[in-house]
Amino acid sequence: MFNETMVTLQGRVGGDVVLRQAGGAPVANFRVACTPRRLDRATNAWSDGPTQWYSVSAWRALAEHCAASLHRGDAVVIHGKLDMRTYINKAGVETLDVQLEAMTVGHDLCRGTSTFHRARAAQAVPGPAEAAAA
């Protein structure tokens, strides 16, 4: 992860988590909406800024845990590697997509409560020496 841009996002899950297989590994994809709130000191009133959308991908065990744990509207905190890609959308306009490859994902406990269930360790897979001895 040398010279990778690492960021932490705080926001809400914007839709259903989609779990699929890619290259033999599970990957979960979902979107996160981050809307900044600012206090206008002159009026002492809060106002929302423009919502920023991020595409998130999580791999392997984290992907499966995200699919089992996250739902639309959940408040989350995500830490991972930031990547930006451009593409041409259906209207022919070049669009910037900001993507995050998640390293860690959790519910934002400033916004609610959560219950943790420890994942069970996977069955040990014998190595070549153990398989030959069996």
Side-chain angles (χ1 to χ4, degrees):
M1 286 195 231
F2 185 68
N3 287 337
E4 298 283 351
T5 302
M6 304 296 287
V7 298
T8 302
L9 297 179
Q10 178 186 20
R12 294 199 179 264
V13 177
D16 296 328
V17 177
V18 176
L19 183 65
R20 61 183 177 82
Q21 291 289 318
V27 60
N29 297 103
F30 57 98
R31 303 268 290 158
V32 172
C34 302
T35 305
R37 279 185 75 87
R38 305 276 189 260
L39 177 63
D40 182 342
R41 296 198 187 275
T43 63
N44 204 32
W46 289 93
S47 63
D48 289 341
T51 299
Q52 302 164 359
W53 287 92
Y54 299 90
S55 298
V56 179
S57 62
W59 291 84
R60 298 171 193 76
L62 180 57
E64 293 170 342
H65 297 165
C66 286
S69 302
L70 301 180
H71 302 91
R72 179 187 309 249
D74 283 357
V76 292
V77 177
I78 303 169
H79 181 75
K81 295 187 294 187
L82 186 67
D83 189 23
M84 291 189 262
R85 299 183 183 154
T86 59
Y87 66 95
I88 306 299
N89 67 15
K90 293 177 184 175
V93 177
E94 186 175 63
T95 303
L96 176 67
D97 185 29
V98 182
Q99 300 180 352
L100 186 67
E101 183 180 337
M103 300 293 117
T104 60
V105 177
H107 285 114
D108 184 351
L109 299 182
C110 289
R111 307 276 180 229
T113 63
S114 185
T115 303
F116 181 78
H117 300 281
R118 184 181 303 254
R120 295 179 187 226
Q123 292 289 337
V125 177
E130 293 86 2

